[in-house]
Amino acid sequence: MNETTRTYDVIVIGAGPVGENVAERARAAGLSTVIVERELLGGECSFWACDPSKALLRPVVARADARRVPGLGQAVAGPLDVEAVLAHRDKMSSYWKDEDQVDWLDSVSVDLIRGHGRLTGPRKVSVQTPDGGTVALTARHAVAVSTGTSAALPSIPGLDTVRPWTSREATSADKVPGRLAVVGGGVVAVEMATAWQALGSQVTMLVLEDALLQRMEPFAGELVTDGLREAGVDIRFGTSVTSLAREGGEVQITLADGGHLAADEILLATGRAPRTWDLGLETIGLTPGDWLKVDDTFRVTDVADGWFYAVGDVNHRALMTHQGKYQARIAGAVIGARAKGEPVDDTRWGAHAATADSAAVPQVVFTHPEVAAVGLTTREAEQSGRRIKVVDYDLARVAGAHQYAEGYRGQARMLIDLDRDTVAGVTFAGPGVGELLHSATIAVAGEVPIDRLWHAVPAFPTISEVWLRLLETHRG
């Protein structure tokens, strides 16, 4: 066993996109920085989530759109080229190798230590390296944890015998299962059901709730349900699993109503849990396995002296890669400012406050139809006590939707804060709406007055003309 000791200004544990951005921003602020990673640089997003899942979904959605365009329907009537789709997925996942990420880290002068990093006390991290060595690290200013989440598996008898898919297996599988059962009704569930049904699986969704995408506006889940069923997915609401077994290569699923289902694979898309079980949190007075509660500058609130930061999914504020990278940009700047004794602007929408985490979180669900949303939903607005006006518009009535596809179906909703006369939330559901989202995000984050939005003229004939129609509907 060999042991070395090193001291840096900043230590980052976890080299996914969030940790990489924290490290880069801290280094740009002139602080010596090291990042610790036990798996692949680039993390979940690059290898088992965003990149591979969207690579699987892009051909599916493009074909579904093309089938409704006059002159193209016959050309895309056949099945997808599964081998080509999976090869594209592999390429977009860099064949599960991280050399490019290592090169980037070198280019921004951040040191890398591969291995399992654990806290051993305030500002102290011990790294067990793959060769059996130990590196003892000390931070002068900050330790930032960006270890993300892993799949949260339900307690089901027989679960340990069936080798279930989680999101990792669902995005990296190298063959199409004949029958796939999907347990859950959230984003991972609907996206993977969309992808694997189109690639040739017979997909059955087992959903405990009575609707899909329950954290979004109800019409979004309804349109996605219709789209999945039209594609051939069997969706069973109000259904729970009581036991599992694998017999002769098949997964045998027993349901709460006494029914049974057989599948070749089963995907459990039932939530996420923080990767904090083996971080040494107990050495600084925290509980292993807990989410890490932070303030708007990402300091962990339950740790004294302000040296400990938690950035990205592990803090449970907004579990999306783009939001984690936003947090990382702020956290890196905060760490740099505090290390230099510079003022920290943590006021609402200040340079060092993650206000968007509560006011303007954008999200796209890459199903067919797509769902794009930012800001509050109607339910959240009502729960907050704000005076909100709900403005709905049928996207199919917009000229750009007629150009996009025959039989276009979609819905738009804008929430207006009546006391501030600004947009508090927007949800779009329909083919191609993902590209509308940033305009909505700017309107919400910028708190653009409704009267000024009237002067933002959408081009004709595009789907974005829905902005004009929403404003006209509001004005009556």
Side-chain angles (χ1 to χ4, degrees):
M1 296 286 290
N2 62 318
E3 181 169 342
T4 61
T5 301
R6 304 182 196 175
T7 299
Y8 291 87
D9 292 325
V10 180
I11 301 168
V12 180
I13 304 176
V18 177
E20 288 176 330
N21 274 269
V22 174
E24 188 273 335
R25 294 296 166 125
R27 187 69 190 92
L31 304 178
S32 62
T33 305
V34 63
I35 196 165
V36 179
E37 177 55 56
R38 63 187 299 180
E39 292 188 296
L40 295 172
L41 273 71
E44 207 76 14
C45 179
S46 297
F47 299 105
W48 300 286
C50 318
D51 286 340
S53 67
K54 275 54 195 183
L56 290 173
L57 286 159
R58 177 59 191 148
V60 176
V61 173
R63 181 183 66 163
D65 283 345
R67 283 177 166 175
R68 296 188 177 186
V69 177
L72 276 178
Q74 187 61 36
V76 294
L80 291 169
D81 183 337
V82 173
E83 184 176 340
V85 172
L86 296 182
H88 172 63
R89 184 273 316 273
D90 294 352
K91 179 180 179 182
M92 295 302 292
S93 302
S94 300
Y95 305 100
W96 291 273
K97 298 178 181 179
D98 63 2
E99 287 89 344
D100 288 346
Q101 304 274 359
V102 174
D103 290 344
W104 175 83
L105 209 60
D106 287 341
S107 75
V108 296
S109 301
V110 172
D111 286 354
L112 166 66
I113 299 176
R114 292 190 184 270
H116 181 196
R118 297 183 83 256
L119 292 155
T120 56
R123 295 185 175 85
K124 302 286 187 181
V125 174
S126 176
V127 184
Q128 300 299 312
T129 59
D131 62 2
T134 302
V135 182
L137 300 174
T138 301
R140 297 186 186 93
H141 296 291
V143 175
V145 170
S146 302
T147 48
T149 61
S150 56
L153 300 181
S155 179
I156 302 175
L159 178 64
D160 57 342
T161 70
V162 300
R163 302 182 303 280
W165 279 11
T166 66
S167 54
R168 282 199 169 196
E169 290 77 19
T171 55
S172 62
D174 58 6
K175 63 180 181 180
V176 179
R179 298 160 299 172
L180 174 65
V182 177
V183 180
V187 175
V188 171
V190 297
E191 288 190 346
M192 291 299 93
T194 298
W196 290 105
Q197 178 74 29
L199 290 169
S201 289
Q202 175 53 58
V203 175
T204 302
M205 296 187 70
L206 307 174
V207 185
L208 180 62
E209 298 82 8
D210 60 1
L212 300 179
L213 301 176
Q214 288 217 318
R215 294 184 180 180
M216 309 186 89
E217 296 284 8
F219 66 79
E222 291 165 6
L223 285 166
V224 170
T225 298
D226 291 345
L228 286 166
R229 282 178 166 159
E230 288 172 9
V233 175
D234 178 6
I235 305 176
R236 305 183 188 183
F237 292 115
T239 302
S240 61
V241 177
T242 57
S243 68
L244 297 168
R246 189 176 283 274
E247 300 175 2
E250 287 188 339
V251 179
Q252 301 296 325
I253 306 165
T254 302
L255 306 177
D257 63 3
H260 291 82
L261 178 70
D264 298 293
E265 300 291 351
I266 184 169
L267 164 61
L268 299 178
T270 50
R272 308 292 295 178
R275 284 190 180 136
T276 59
W277 281 107
D278 197 15
L279 275 179
L281 294 182
E282 67 280 2
T283 68
I284 57 170
L286 300 179
T287 303
D290 280 359
W291 300 98
L292 297 175
K293 184 180 178 181
V294 298
D295 62 20
D296 279 352
T297 69
F298 302 105
R299 274 179 164 171
V300 177
T301 54
D302 293 331
V303 174
D305 299 329
W307 60 271
F308 190 46
Y309 292 75
V311 193
D313 287 3
V314 75
N315 62 38
H316 207 220
R317 286 169 65 105
L319 278 66
M320 282 161 277
T321 295
H322 50 269
Q323 210 67 22
K325 292 165 72 174
Y326 160 76
Q327 294 179 8
R329 295 191 293 270
I330 290 173
V334 165
I335 291 169
R338 286 176 172 150
K340 298 175 183 178
E342 297 173 351
V344 171
D345 180 7
D346 59 1
T347 59
R348 180 177 170 83
W349 299 116
H352 302 118
T355 309
D357 280 353
S358 58
V361 176
Q363 181 176 17
V364 178
V365 184
F366 293 87
T367 45
H368 193 269
E370 289 179 341
V371 180
V374 64
L376 299 178
T377 63
T378 305
R379 181 175 62 246
E380 290 168 343
E382 291 171 347
Q383 291 172 346
S384 73
R386 296 166 72 171
R387 290 200 316 127
I388 296 290
K389 180 179 179 180
V390 178
V391 183
D392 287 328
Y393 196 81
D394 182 355
L395 268 170
R397 295 169 59 193
V398 177
H402 291 286
Q403 295 284 359
Y404 194 91
E406 288 186 326
Y408 189 102
R409 292 184 62 206
Q411 182 73 25
R413 172 168 292 179
M414 176 172 66
L415 305 182
I416 297 176
D417 186 322
L418 293 173
D419 294 321
R420 306 183 70 188
D421 200 36
T422 57
V423 181
V426 182
T427 299
F428 302 114
V433 298
E435 297 303 329
L436 295 179
L437 184 57
H438 196 56
S439 60
T441 303
I442 291 170
V444 174
E447 298 180 334
V448 181
I450 294 296
D451 286 346
R452 179 58 63 87
L453 276 180
W454 187 254
H455 298 282
V457 182
F460 180 88
T462 65
I463 300 176
S464 62
E465 195 182 17
V466 70
W467 279 106
L468 173 58
R469 304 306 172 206
L470 286 167
L471 293 168
E472 287 176 334
T473 302
H474 166 56
R475 288 190 166 193

